[in-house]
């Protein structure tokens, strides 16, 4: 079983950055990507092209 308090670093694909029209759109794309590809994860923050996530 995974510890919920241990962060997971998810590399975000380049297309997210290219497709985003503004900051809000970027947030939406990141959340959609994480929900689809990493169900059960929640994004704490984004840094250096990576989403820092925790398991729900």
């Amino acid at each position: 079983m995974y510890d919920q308090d241990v962060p997971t670093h998810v590399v975000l694909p380049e297309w997210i950055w290219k497709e985003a029209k503004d900051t809000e759109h970027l947030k939406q794309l990141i959340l959609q990507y994480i929900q689809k590809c990493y169900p059960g994860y929640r994004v704490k923050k984004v840094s250096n092209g990576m989403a820092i996530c925790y398991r729900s």
Side-chain angles (χ1 to χ4, degrees):
M1 201 58 146
Y2 293 101
D3 188 351
Q4 292 178 346
D5 295 330
V6 177
T8 300
H9 294 73
V10 176
V11 178
L12 297 169
E14 191 173 328
W15 66 264
I16 289 179
W17 307 101
K18 289 181 179 179
E19 190 174 316
K21 297 173 185 158
D22 55 34
T23 305
E24 283 304 312
H25 189 223
L26 178 63
K27 289 178 186 179
Q28 290 174 353
L29 291 174
I30 291 170
L31 290 177
Q32 289 171 1
Y33 175 75
I34 295 296
Q35 288 173 352
K36 180 179 179 184
C37 298
Y38 297 87
Y41 282 70
R42 55 187 164 81
V43 178
K44 180 70 172 181
K45 69 177 185 174
V46 175
S47 177
N48 297 324
M50 302 179 89
I52 314 305
C53 302
Y54 291 87
R55 291 181 62 103
S56 300

